[in-house]
Amino acid sequence: MKPRLRFAPSPSGYLHIGGARTALFNWLWARSQGGTFVLRVEDTDQERSSLDSVRAILDALKWLGLDWDEGPEVGGPFGSYFQSERKALYRESVERLIREGKAYRCYCTKEELDRAREALKQQNPKAAFVYPGTCRDRHDEPALPHVVRFKTPRDGSTDFVDKVFGAISTPNHAQQDFVLVRTDGYPLYNLAAVVDDHAMEISLVARGRDHIGNTPQQVLLYNAFGWKAPEFAHLPMMLNAKGEKLSKRHASVSVQDYRERGFSPMGVLNYLVRFGWSFGDQEIFARSELIRVFDWERVNKSDGKFDEKKFADVAFEHLKRDDLTSLDEYVDWVRPFLTARGIENPSNELLHAAVPGIRERARTLVDAASDLEFYFRATPEMDDKARQKFLTAESAPRLKSLSSALAEVTSWTASTLEEAGKRFAEREGLELKHFAQAARVALTGRSASPPLFDVMAVLGREQTLARLARGIELAGA
Ligand code: GLU
């Protein structure tokens, strides 16, 4: 049987990078096994869920290339894939448990429970409050406000084998009669997740280990319904340098932030995959390679420390290497960053010619757009310092004769231009350094750029000569 996996985000914000890591592991396994990756939106908490969040999460997943086979926008045989549209199913399921004596309506008010909690605190400040089961055998009065609680067996234990953490056994007396349905009729997470994972025929549930404490309750529910539980794999956490749960107080934690900072999708995924999975010492993976080598045997339980510097290094490596990011991809990705700098419709041809010269150095697509900008401005913005330093009266006649020498070049390539430059230097008794910086500033507006003759080749004859002419003017000739 091909595995069916799911990612089940609650749409109460952006896609957290921890969530993206969870989605990635599920997606990788589905893709490597020819299985199915389901996206289910857990939006039963109306106050915290929003459509904007749903959109943000779907966008981030699409950008990462974590495509889903069933779920919002694509549909599928087990829809709806929004929990808010599946309430009838949760209601029926819970009614069944009540009928079978496996769940009960609890009429205890919040005030009563608070009083009991307070009384316990007086007696023993350290004891954790456990619902005492007051309504377990109470007569049903469905018209009164109530929650529905699961009737947890008092003896025995609930056991499951986690694919990462191994055998986990929880004594039932340690679990309380947990709430399945709130007073307002909304199902709580454990109930909805179990009903859906069963209905959607999920075979393996992989999620953060912050959910491991929910799993015994879910297993109790599977047993009560008489359903076979899926396999479970809990994944270690991403922590900050101090070993605390990673939050936006410590670092950028939304996928969107990294997108805006100019990381590539695979740069992000490659860094995230190392949280809980490793493949020897290998650091860098192409997407297809990850799909090929990912397996559960190599998933480990040690939490990982998030390191933004490392993240940026991995992301840069992906952008730099053309075996990881093709020129076409690079061009597509950098385009919006150029548009953001006010360059409308940057020419495809020019981008293809210019990107190879800057990708070695540009650590992000934001840097890349900044490095590329001068190519797209008819008159490049001049850095004042560079201009004052290099476009001097002394440089003007040199630039002039360089320009005439270049104008003679018939086949306009970096190597023929370089040769022409060298011949010119020899003739004038100059060295490259005597005119290269002035030419660079004239062509690019800056004192640092890709190699000079490469820049000329990419700019083309007309632009090169026009920019040199302007440089000569600025130099005051
Ligand atoms: N909606 C839950 C969350 O976002 C899903 C947990 C699970 O995968 O079961 O944490």
Side-chain angles (χ1 to χ4, degrees):
M1 271 268 281
K2 303 270 188 213
R4 289 180 55 85
L5 295 108
R6 61 20 166 220
F7 177 54
S10 304
S12 55
Y14 46 76
L15 179 61
H16 189 284
I17 48 175
R21 188 280 314 259
T22 298
L24 171 63
F25 279 36
N26 282 290
W27 180 86
L28 281 173
W29 192 239
R31 291 293 168 264
S32 76
Q33 301 300 300
T36 304
F37 179 54
V38 178
L39 178 61
R40 180 174 76 227
V41 178
E42 302 210 324
D43 58 348
T44 54
D45 186 339
Q46 276 189 316
E47 275 147 42
R48 299 185 56 206
S49 303
S50 75
L51 261 179
D52 280 350
S53 292
V54 174
R55 221 166 287 129
I57 292 170
L58 301 193
D59 273 358
L61 288 170
K62 281 185 210 170
W63 177 73
L64 289 169
L66 302 180
D67 55 333
W68 54 97
D69 307 304
E70 293 174 24
E73 295 178 357
V74 300
F78 300 101
S80 164
Y81 293 90
F82 287 84
Q83 286 193 326
S84 57
E85 294 171 2
R86 302 172 64 81
K87 281 186 279 188
L89 186 60
Y90 311 132
R91 205 171 306 127
E92 269 166 42
S93 314
V94 93
E95 286 300 333
R96 187 187 134 194
L97 290 181
I98 295 175
R99 255 193 337 267
E100 294 176 2
K102 296 168 179 164
Y104 60 94
R105 295 188 173 87
C106 167
Y107 302 92
C108 295
T109 62
K110 184 173 175 304
E111 291 70 28
E112 284 165 345
L113 292 176
D114 285 349
R115 267 202 301 281
R117 202 173 279 122
E118 196 47 41
L120 176 72
K121 212 168 156 192
Q122 300 292 337
Q123 268 178 10
N124 179 357
K126 286 206 184 110
F129 177 72
V130 172
Y131 175 70
T134 322
C135 295
R136 263 195 165 208
D137 303 309
R138 189 171 160 169
H139 213 63
D140 254 1
E141 296 171 74
L144 292 177
H146 59 271
V147 300
V148 178
R149 288 183 184 272
F150 185 73
K151 201 182 258 182
T152 305
R154 291 258 155 94
D155 41 21
S157 62
T158 299
D159 304 331
F160 68 96
V161 179
D162 188 274
K163 269 179 117 53
V164 180
F165 284 82
I168 295 183
S169 176
T170 313
N172 289 334
H173 64 77
Q175 309 226 49
Q176 53 181 328
D177 287 355
F178 51 95
V179 175
L180 300 173
V181 179
R182 297 195 315 202
T183 318
D184 60 9
Y186 274 90
L188 285 185
Y189 158 69
N190 280 321
L191 173 71
V194 165
V195 168
D196 284 348
D197 285 336
H198 170 73
M200 295 179 180
E201 298 180 5
I202 300 302
S203 56
L204 167 60
V205 166
R207 59 187 168 207
R209 76 159 171 77
D210 47 339
H211 281 291
I212 207 164
N214 284 317
T215 310
Q217 301 183 353
Q218 297 186 7
V219 172
L220 281 167
L221 280 168
Y222 282 106
N223 294 343
F225 282 119
W227 298 334
K228 183 173 179 292
E231 287 190 283
F232 293 99
H234 288 88
L235 310 174
M237 303 298 285
M238 297 174 71
L239 304 175
N240 71 4
K242 289 196 205 136
E244 299 157 342
K245 200 170 165 179
L246 191 66
S247 83
K248 62 178 169 203
R249 276 181 299 121
H250 312 118
S252 298
V253 289
S254 92
V255 169
Q256 180 63 18
D257 277 343
Y258 291 97
R259 181 180 186 176
E260 283 166 13
R261 280 163 64 173
F263 288 30
S264 72
M266 228 7 246
V268 173
L269 293 180
N270 193 146
Y271 184 61
L272 296 183
V273 80
R274 299 299 305 278
F275 284 85
W277 178 85
S278 58
F279 191 70
D281 291 333
Q282 190 172 336
E283 298 266 6
I284 301 295
F285 300 87
R287 189 182 292 265
S288 53
E289 186 182 14
L290 262 191
I291 294 175
R292 205 171 55 243
V293 298
F294 180 84
D295 65 14
W296 292 101
E297 271 68 64
R298 292 175 204 272
V299 175
N300 58 67
K301 45 186 173 198
S302 335
D303 292 334
K305 292 239 164 93
F306 182 77
D307 176 346
E308 259 190 272
K309 159 98 179 51
K310 184 88 205 277
F311 194 171
D313 288 346
V314 169
F316 175 35
E317 190 71 14
H318 270 270
L319 283 177
K320 184 161 67 175
R321 278 173 44 182
D322 59 7
D323 60 328
L324 295 170
T325 299
S326 72
L327 182 55
D328 284 342
E329 281 173 316
Y330 203 116
V331 164
D332 279 350
W333 293 339
V334 79
R335 195 183 288 283
F337 291 92
L338 281 164
T339 310
R341 301 179 83 89
I343 296 161
E344 300 294 337
N345 290 323
S347 131
N348 215 23
E349 205 185 325
L350 185 49
L351 271 173
H352 275 84
V355 162
I358 57 99
R359 67 187 296 173
E360 279 284 314
R361 257 175 18 114
R363 290 183 57 83
T364 65
L365 295 165
V366 172
D367 292 350
S370 156
D371 292 350
L372 289 167
E373 185 171 347
F374 73 84
Y375 282 117
F376 295 90
R377 304 235 180 253
T379 45
E381 241 170 78
M382 283 281 163
D383 173 65
D384 275 343
K385 262 207 211 129
R387 175 187 160 175
Q388 276 160 20
K389 184 157 177 211
F390 297 110
L391 292 183
T392 56
E394 195 191 7
S395 71
R398 287 180 191 160
L399 285 182
K400 222 181 218 166
S401 12
L402 172 69
S403 177
S404 323
L406 294 174
E408 305 288 303
V409 172
T410 42
S411 113
W412 196 267
T413 66
S415 58
T416 49
L417 289 164
E418 187 164 0
E419 261 168 41
K422 278 190 190 144
R423 274 200 309 275
F424 155 79
E426 251 167 54
R427 207 172 56 224
E428 306 269 324
L430 296 172
E431 281 178 51
L432 201 65
K433 65 173 185 215
H434 292 128
F435 62 90
Q437 277 308 77
R440 188 187 309 281
V441 176
L443 296 176
T444 71
R446 311 161 186 202
S447 52
S449 79
L452 184 63
F453 298 104
D454 292 352
V455 169
M456 291 181 183
V458 173
L459 280 173
R461 174 193 218 97
E462 198 184 316
Q463 271 294 318
T464 302
L465 297 179
R467 290 180 188 209
L468 285 176
R470 179 160 172 266
I472 294 161
E473 233 171 73
L474 290 172

